[in-house]
Amino acid sequence: MTEVKKTYKIPCSKCGRLVGRHALSLKRTYMCEYCKTAKKKKWQAVEKELSERIFDEITIQTKAEIKFDKAVQKMFEKRDDKEKYSKAIRLAKTRCELYGSIPEIFVAIELLHQGYKIIPQQKVAKYRLDFVIPDKRAVIEVDGKIFHSDQAKEAEKDFVVKNNLGAGWRILHIPTDYITKDMMKVAKYFRKVLK
């Protein structure tokens, strides 16, 4: 003889629908499948929102991003026009891995602020150029003491670059000292020379 299990009809604690169960406990609450699914989806949405909030609060930055933020802070520590540069700063930060130095970051932000389309670290022949501005047929090299101290090598590099880019291209060399001491003068120079 087979034993028949007794089925209890218990009301759902949320909606009141009858739920069939083989066991009954007065200490436990019962829910129908619909209410269980709704509760699960609600908790999944809450978990997702919490994880997004936590992720927004915990920002993990690369070394290049930290360096970029410090450069921006330094660039605007004695200036009050940072708000005008916000779009250029956001765009420059998307390429922060490409800048080799803080003065290069200053130059990138200024060029983008002035509306130029720049290509940082463009390879031409065997050389990497700090910034290429194709619309203006110009190359901007940020000359630091360590990297650009040999005039003969710089002249050879300029010759090779001009031969590869073609006639009409200009190479502008800007010492890092000028950039770090008075970026506003460098900005005026860009506006004058890159018309």
Side-chain angles (χ1 to χ4, degrees):
M1 223 168 158
T2 58
E3 188 179 325
V4 178
K5 287 192 174 184
K6 193 172 187 178
T7 303
Y8 297 93
K9 298 289 183 182
I10 308 162
C12 173
S13 61
K14 294 286 182 185
C15 68
R17 286 189 196 120
L18 293 178
V19 179
R21 295 287 183 256
H22 294 293
L24 173 66
S25 172
L26 297 175
K27 296 178 182 177
R28 188 171 168 208
T29 58
Y30 294 90
M31 285 197 297
C32 67
E33 292 302 316
Y34 177 81
C35 291
K36 282 182 187 176
T37 305
K39 184 178 179 182
K40 185 177 178 182
K41 285 182 180 178
K42 180 181 176 185
W43 277 109
Q44 286 174 341
V46 168
E47 284 178 337
K48 183 179 179 185
E49 183 181 333
L50 285 174
S51 66
E52 286 173 357
R53 281 188 195 170
I54 290 169
F55 186 74
D56 288 345
E57 290 174 12
I58 302 172
T59 53
I60 301 169
Q61 289 187 308
T62 65
K63 287 181 182 181
E65 289 170 330
I66 293 168
K67 180 177 161 182
F68 183 88
D69 290 342
K70 285 180 182 177
V72 169
Q73 185 178 1
K74 185 174 182 177
M75 183 175 180
F76 293 97
E77 66 187 5
K78 295 178 184 173
R79 296 167 59 177
D80 58 355
D81 58 347
K82 184 177 179 181
E83 194 60 37
K84 290 192 316 190
Y85 282 77
S86 61
K87 184 178 177 184
I89 292 168
R90 276 194 313 274
L91 183 56
K93 191 169 186 172
T94 62
R95 309 173 197 176
C96 66
E97 305 288 335
L98 299 175
Y99 310 126
S101 65
I102 288 176
E104 282 184 33
I105 294 169
F106 287 10
V107 169
I109 291 169
E110 185 58 47
L111 290 171
L112 290 168
H113 175 69
Q114 290 186 21
Y116 298 113
K117 293 180 178 139
I118 61 171
I119 303 170
Q121 297 301 314
Q122 175 65 49
K123 189 168 189 262
V124 175
K126 64 179 183 175
Y127 299 105
R128 288 224 173 261
L129 308 175
D130 293 334
F131 299 99
V132 173
I133 308 173
D135 301 358
K136 299 296 178 179
R137 298 173 66 90
V139 172
I140 297 178
E141 284 289 290
V142 177
D143 292 340
K145 292 176 184 175
I146 297 171
F147 297 106
H148 303 283
S149 58
D150 189 345
Q151 294 295 324
K153 283 186 180 178
E154 278 300 310
E156 178 187 331
K157 177 180 177 180
D158 288 356
F159 178 77
V160 171
V161 168
K162 280 186 177 184
N163 279 339
N164 277 281
L165 291 176
W169 280 79
R170 295 175 290 168
I171 300 175
L172 309 172
H173 292 273
I174 304 175
T176 56
D177 294 343
Y178 290 178
I179 295 166
T180 54
K181 286 181 184 170
D182 195 352
M183 189 60 207
M184 296 308 289
K185 283 185 181 177
V186 175
K188 287 178 186 176
Y189 174 72
F190 288 153
R191 279 192 282 277
K192 182 180 176 183
V193 174
L194 296 173
K195 290 182 187 177

